[in-house]
Amino acid sequence: MTEAFDPRALAARLHSLRQAGRQEETGTFTLPADLHQAMEAQNFLTAADGICSNAWKVTVSPQGQAVTGPLHPYAEAASGADIPWYPGMKFETEIAVRLGKDLPIRTGTAYSRAEVVEAISAAHLGAELLVSAVRESGSISFLLFTSDRLGNSGYVLGPKLDKSVVDTAGGTPLKVTHAGRTIYDGPAQHPKGDVLTWLVNYANDGLRPETSLKAGALITTGTLSGAIELTEPGEIDILLGDSQLRFAVSKP
């Protein structure tokens, strides 16, 4: 007999693993059966982590379903950001956008990319930190990974950029150093080519919460540098074109 799925129990286990900086294999968890169960568990984990920031990541499942998770801990580089480092932590350079107006759930005509751009009030350089309590991250069970806040373990918001960066980010020179070593030096490249692909998908998801994509929300849009493992604590320095973001990852 299959063990009944308990979203609260899964969240409690993910929370305790994260607190201890530990990972366990997918096969040791009772898995959510669908996205609804995964999001239930994610909501319990969000509550256990005490998350109240209005900052989110968006991505898409292997089946093409847009999904989201809260960014935590969230920091702004201007105030000297320092994010806890854990073994296995990965780093991504990203563009974040702030909504200046609501994108309510629509029935009928889908949101165009231009309408989503029009709702954006500001764009920023940002950095996402990732470490999942699931050893394989989302490679075996994307639903389990979704429950684990899509592996997010921190976000640093950097300087404001010209809003046109959502159209021009691809191909911009990007250099990242960590602990004095260059870990990325090449053109910025989003997995989908367009940094807004996943946000537009999510805007057009009729199953998303009514409270999502409200004015003031910050949404990060996906990596421009791939996911790079940070093998030790240390300072990170990102240079995207002429814009710079500096922060540290330190042992908790």
Side-chain angles (χ1 to χ4, degrees), residues 217-243:
L218 184 84
I219 298 106
T220 195
T221 58
T223 184
L224 300 176
S225 59
I228 302 165
E229 186 163 350
L230 303 177
T231 54
E232 60 181 327
E235 295 256 327
I236 291 176
D237 192 342
I238 304 166
L239 196 61
L240 177 70
D242 298 327
S243 300

Side-chain angles (χ1 to χ4, degrees), residues 51 79 103 227:
I51 300 172
S79 55
L103 289 170

Side-chain angles (χ1 to χ4, degrees), residues 101-161:
K101 64 180 191 180
D102 296 357
L103 289 170
I105 293 172
R106 256 192 194 174
T107 50
T109 314
Y111 283 105
S112 66
R113 185 185 189 279
E115 286 175 300
V116 172
V117 170
E118 206 246 318
I120 293 168
S121 60
H124 291 259
L125 180 57
E128 183 181 5
L129 290 315
L130 296 143
V131 65
S132 176
V134 184
R135 189 173 302 284
E136 303 87 357
S137 297
S139 64
I140 295 178
S141 171
F142 187 80
L143 292 172
L144 178 61
F145 186 59
T146 298
S147 301
D148 191 30
R149 297 199 291 103
L150 297 166
N152 175 260
S153 60
Y155 196 82
V156 180
L157 189 71
K160 193 179 275 194
L161 306 174

